[in-house]
Amino acid sequence: MLGSVLLGIATLLGLIYGFLVSNFGHWRRRGVLEPRALPLFGSFPSVIWPRQHFTIDMQDIYMRYRETNSYVGCFLLRAPKLLILEPRLVSEIFVSGFRHFEDNDASHMVDTSKDRLIARNPFVLQGDDWRRERAIFSTLLTNGRIRTLHSIMKRVCGDLCDFLAKDTTGGGPHDGTDLGLRFTGETLFDCVLGIQARSFSKDPLPLIRQNQEMSSENIGLTIAGAVSGLFPNLPRRFRPKVFPRSYDRFMGGVIGEALRLRRSSPQDRNDFINHLLELQKEHNLSEEDMISHAMTFMFDGLDTTSTSIAHCLLLVSYQVGMGLGMYL
Ligand code: HEM
């Protein structure tokens, strides 16, 4: 009896191990250098065992192979990923050849029938859907429109400087992540929705709280990442919902209200919400489509831009010495 149980356990463990390593060799067979990967952990162990941010694992591989290879074959858990090391290739992929790269990781992780808030976001779409929504979204991002929003950005810069001058930290170091989020949140709200969100007030902002729930504290996102890494070919309909429902309600509510406000009191402003209202007539967009397009700015723009700003602030604080204390 005991022997059968042990044999059963050994067989099960063997099957799990076989499953976890079944993709290893994927790149070697294609003539691509494949640095050693670990069963379950893949090439970036910190995804599962967070002793450091997993991008530092990527950086380690980059530093080791950047002089000798243009790219190396890696595994995100067990999903094969090509890590591009040569800047020229990175530029080619993101600029001239981008139309061939619509099928990104996010498009596998998200089921747009469950996450309606990003159903129109090119970031998570594939094929014809990607081409169609990209064509609509890019008309919102003309140079002329961005230029006219310069005055809003200047206003927000002024608010940021006033906030820093008030020295809310009592002489201690500033939280660069918080400053980046406040600056970007305020700019996005005003540029996209025409709302001044008073992001530099003392109390924590709902937007910042919601953003934390959406990114760093989002269990759904972690599960979606794990499912995507372990079962890369699983059809979309089996993917879990990624956005917390509270986030859906908050962002959907704010954007819906901004649209209602602008319709009831039109403003002669060259901002995104006015253009979105024009697009609604042109493309016969539903209210849900409109919210999703506005959401593309909020979702794709907030964390990316605020994190870049936070890191710039940190570097500037190093350059000017201890005069401007900063941490992330
Ligand atoms: C420093 C700030 C930003 C960084 C580092 C960044 C980075 C990226 C990257 C790497 C991609 C390509 C992802 C992929 O398909 O594999 C991407 C796509 C995208 N980003 Fe950003 N982004 C930033 C700001 C923004 C802002 C402000 C917006 C909104 C206006 C935005 C909207 C988008 C959209 C819509 C896509 C999908 C494009 C497509 O698939 O056609 N991003 N971004």
Side-chain angles (χ1 to χ4, degrees):
M1 175 66 183
L2 182 67
S4 316
V5 172
L6 288 177
L7 185 66
I9 293 173
T11 311
L12 184 66
L13 289 177
L15 285 173
I16 293 174
Y17 180 82
F19 169 73
L20 291 175
V21 299
S22 59
N23 283 336
F24 290 5
H26 172 95
W27 295 112
R28 221 176 18 254
R29 286 193 293 278
R30 288 160 176 78
V32 175
L33 181 85
E34 190 180 293
R36 198 169 79 89
L38 299 169
L40 178 65
F41 296 92
S43 313
F44 317 113
S46 305
V47 170
I48 295 220
W49 188 258
R51 64 192 168 101
Q52 57 187 10
H53 196 273
F54 78 92
T55 52
I56 306 290
D57 293 346
M58 286 185 188
Q59 183 182 311
D60 291 345
I61 297 179
Y62 170 71
M63 296 307 273
R64 202 170 325 135
Y65 295 102
R66 65 179 182 159
E67 302 292 349
T68 49
N69 294 70
S70 298
Y71 43 82
V72 289
C74 294
F75 297 90
L76 188 59
L77 308 190
R78 58 183 285 277
K81 303 285 164 196
L82 196 64
L83 189 65
I84 311 294
L85 309 178
E86 193 183 325
R88 183 190 56 81
L89 279 181
V90 174
S91 159
E92 210 170 294
I93 290 167
F94 278 133
V95 184
S96 53
F98 193 63
R99 67 184 186 285
H100 302 296
F101 289 91
E102 88 258 28
D103 191 5
N104 67 7
D105 265 3
S107 68
H108 291 276
M109 270 170 67
V110 175
D111 177 353
T112 47
S113 69
K114 294 184 192 114
D115 279 306
R116 301 299 300 153
L117 217 51
I118 44 170
R120 301 280 158 189
N121 189 332
F123 200 87
V124 301
L125 296 174
Q126 294 173 338
D128 288 342
D129 290 340
W130 177 68
R131 267 176 279 281
R132 187 188 57 243
E133 299 307 333
R134 200 165 188 254
I136 295 179
F137 187 76
S138 54
T139 62
L140 290 160
L141 282 174
T142 57
N143 282 344
R145 199 175 313 282
I146 291 170
R147 215 173 296 126
T148 57
L149 296 170
H150 183 234
S151 62
I152 296 180
M153 295 181 201
K154 268 179 79 176
R155 194 266 301 164
V156 184
C157 280
D159 288 357
L160 173 66
C161 291
D162 292 346
F163 183 74
L164 284 171
K166 274 189 214 140
D167 192 15
T168 46
T169 64
H174 290 279
D175 179 348
T177 311
D178 175 70
L179 289 177
L181 272 173
R182 285 174 194 262
F183 178 85
T184 315
E186 183 68 22
T187 309
L188 277 174
F189 259 77
D190 203 351
C191 291
V192 179
L193 303 177
I195 295 176
Q196 294 201 4
R198 290 197 295 276
S199 308
F200 295 99
S201 59
K202 200 159 171 272
D203 300 327
L205 287 163
L207 173 70
I208 291 175
R209 181 76 220 120
Q210 290 290 336
N211 192 58
Q212 272 162 349
E213 275 179 30
M214 171 55 216
S215 46
S216 53
E217 296 167 13
N218 186 349
I219 303 210
L221 189 62
T222 312
I223 295 173
V227 171
S228 173
L230 287 174
F231 309 100
N233 299 323
L234 195 73
R236 265 178 179 234
R237 64 180 183 282
F238 297 120
R239 306 279 169 196
K241 179 165 167 51
V242 172
F243 282 39
R245 289 187 199 283
S246 58
Y247 186 80
D248 284 355
R249 273 195 301 275
F250 174 76
M251 291 310 292
V254 170
I255 297 171
E257 188 56 30
L259 287 166
R260 267 190 296 281
L261 268 175
R262 185 57 64 92
R263 283 193 191 104
S264 60
S265 18
Q267 285 182 35
D268 187 20
R269 218 170 166 235
N270 188 21
D271 60 7
F272 295 109
I273 195 163
N274 268 358
H275 188 56
L276 208 52
L277 289 166
E278 283 164 24
L279 282 180
Q280 179 166 38
K281 292 176 210 143
E282 201 178 314
H283 295 277
N284 199 18
L285 301 177
S286 70
E287 200 67 4
E288 195 181 59
D289 295 337
M290 300 277 283
I291 291 177
S292 183
H293 276 304
M295 191 57 214
T296 298
F297 286 97
M298 300 306 193
F299 182 60
D300 296 14
L302 183 60
D303 244 2
T304 44
T305 312
S306 64
T307 309
S308 309
I309 289 175
H311 282 86
C312 289
L313 288 173
L314 187 67
L315 289 176
V316 169
S317 79
Y318 284 148
Q319 288 297 317
V320 298
M322 295 315 288
L324 178 61
M326 187 72 60
Y327 66 96
L328 296 185

